[in-house]
Structure formats: structure tokens, C-alpha cells
Amino acid sequence: MDDVAKLAFATSDHSTIDQHFGSAESIVIYKVTPEDAVFSEIIVFDTAEHDGNEDKLKSRIAAVEDCAVVYCRAIGGSAVMQLDALGIQPAKVSPGTTIRGQIALLQTQMRKDPVLWLLLKNRGGKPAEKPASRFDDMERSGWVE
């Protein structure tokens, strides 16, 4: 699996995406291509409460730092910003969504839209590039106020 996207899933039972990212009991990681999905690892965390304590996010964010997407039932704004800064896409799912079902859905989308595949494959664990603003473009062209 040379061209692979790593996907993370916040789960309590290792089969259903049923956890809030910031207090997830565990994260399951799969390596996925449009044709294949291979289990990579399970990371288990100490119990965490929904208490606004930012310290618990450090270990969860470190666990997914080389993933392209983190699937969860819910996620707080601070976690979204921290993941985005690392180039990781947070994705909330509906109740009852299974890991296998979400992987199959994503693989179908990847086969239909190769651009999606390239974005996922190339984004994991890399900071999102900040788009140049029109002011940056003006400055590079020598514009003076």
C-alpha cells in the first residue's frame, strides 16, 4: 500500500464511530486506498470528561498527527482548529455509523473522484497551506500604496 491515506476513528467499541473526539476512549486507525483498507492500530486513552480541559486534547491530537481525516460523533472548536493547523480534516458522522461502513463510503467516493483521493493522500499530517490573499499577490507584484 504505497499510496495510502490514514484515517482515524473515535470509538468505544472499535467498530462504531460513537465518541466525542476530545473525550474518546480510543482511536482506531486504518490505512486506506480506493481499493483496500488495512487496520493499523488502536490507541487507548485514559477516561476524559467533557470539561473544557485542553490538556486531554494533546494526546489525542498527537495520536492522529499523520492522519488525513478524523471521524467522530462530535468535536469542539479548539480541537477543530488544532487539527486544521496540522492539515487534518475533522469529520462528524451520524449516530450508528460504523467504521467499516464509513471506509466503504469513502472508498466509493475516492474511486469516483480521483481529486478527493489525491487530497486525502497528500494532506495527512501536513499543515494546510494558507491560500495567498490578494494583498500578498499585490505585494509580490510590486504594488505600492
Side-chain angles (χ1 to χ4, degrees), residues 1-2 4-9 28-42 99-100 103 107:
M1 290 181 80
D2 292 333
V4 67
K6 287 180 76 176
L7 309 178
F9 303 90
V28 173
I29 297 178
Y30 276 82
K31 295 178 180 178
V32 179
T33 70
E35 295 80 29
D36 200 12
V38 176
F39 168 79
S40 179
E41 65 183 307
I42 295 174
I99 292 172
R100 287 287 181 190
I103 289 172
Q107 286 176 311

Side-chain angles (χ1 to χ4, degrees), residues 15-115:
S15 64
T16 307
I17 306 164
D18 62 354
Q19 296 279 285
H20 186 288
F21 176 74
S23 58
E25 295 173 19
S26 62
I27 302 280
V28 173
I29 297 178
Y30 276 82
K31 295 178 180 178
V32 179
T33 70
E35 295 80 29
D36 200 12
V38 176
F39 168 79
S40 179
E41 65 183 307
I42 295 174
I43 299 124
V44 179
F45 302 101
D46 292 333
T47 304
E49 300 296 324
H50 298 283
D51 58 6
N53 181 353
E54 294 289 318
D55 289 340
K56 67 184 176 209
L57 285 177
K58 291 177 187 174
S59 60
R60 286 158 178 80
I61 290 179
V64 300
E65 68 185 359
D66 60 347
C67 293
V69 183
V70 173
Y71 292 94
C72 55
R73 279 288 302 122
I75 188 166
S78 176
V80 168
M81 291 187 324
Q82 291 179 58
L83 290 171
D84 188 56
L86 293 173
I88 303 167
Q89 177 66 48
K92 294 193 316 186
V93 299
S94 300
T97 302
T98 64
I99 292 172
R100 287 287 181 190
Q102 188 63 43
I103 289 172
L105 177 64
L106 183 62
Q107 286 176 311
T108 299
Q109 293 171 337
M110 292 158 99
R111 287 189 291 272
K112 289 181 180 179
D113 185 359
V115 173

